[in-house]
């Protein structure tokens, strides 16, 4: 574990301030979104996927991946984003162009 800590120490930044109100709003939006997904997909999920909460559980997996990714991204220092701005811009533009190609 200490090797991982030593490896991540140069790029890992502790947050200076946590906006609790913003975190509350994000939590409320995620909760309402989960409620909407669950209530709107119960019939379809039980008919097609075999269980009434199959779509909700898949949504929770994707939500967990997204929250973990957001946590990691917020801990990266600003200098990382400044150094890799052109590469990230090209990756984003390429992804947008690939969306327009049918069959991909």
């Amino acid at each position: 574990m200490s090797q991982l800590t030593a490896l991540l120490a140069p790029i890992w930044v502790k947050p200076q301030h946590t906006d609790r109100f913003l975190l509350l709003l994000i939590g409320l939006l995620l909760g309402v979104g989960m409620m909407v997904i669950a209530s709107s997909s119960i019939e379809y999920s039980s008919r097609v996927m075999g269980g009434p909460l199959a779509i909700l559980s898949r949504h929770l997996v994707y939500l967990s991946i997204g929250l973990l990714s957001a946590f990691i991204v917020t801990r990266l220092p600003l200098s990382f984003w400044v150094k890799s701005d052109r590469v990230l811009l090209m990756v984003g533009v390429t992804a947008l162009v690939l969306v327009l190609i049918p069959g991909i």
Side-chain angles (χ1 to χ4, degrees):
M1 188 67 173
S2 62
Q3 292 175 345
L4 180 63
T5 306
L7 180 67
L8 292 178
I11 62 168
W12 195 260
V13 176
K14 289 186 178 180
Q16 298 294 324
H17 178 268
T18 302
D19 191 354
R20 293 174 195 242
F21 183 67
L22 181 62
L23 290 177
L24 174 71
L25 290 177
I26 291 171
L28 286 173
L29 281 172
L30 292 174
V32 168
M34 285 191 322
M35 184 178 62
V36 168
I37 293 289
S39 66
S40 65
S41 66
I42 286 179
E43 179 64 34
Y44 176 79
S45 180
S46 63
R47 196 170 8 105
V48 174
M49 305 194 89
L53 299 177
I55 292 179
L56 178 65
S57 62
R58 186 175 65 183
H59 178 70
L60 287 173
V61 168
Y62 293 144
L63 183 66
S64 300
I65 292 169
L67 287 174
L68 180 65
S69 300
F71 177 76
I72 292 171
V73 164
T74 58
R75 297 303 188 259
L76 295 174
L78 186 60
S79 61
F80 169 78
W81 298 111
V82 170
K83 289 177 187 175
S84 59
D85 60 350
R86 296 195 194 278
V87 173
L88 292 172
L89 178 65
M90 288 296 113
V91 168
V93 169
T94 304
L96 287 172
V97 169
L98 289 175
V99 168
L100 297 175
I101 299 173
I104 293 182

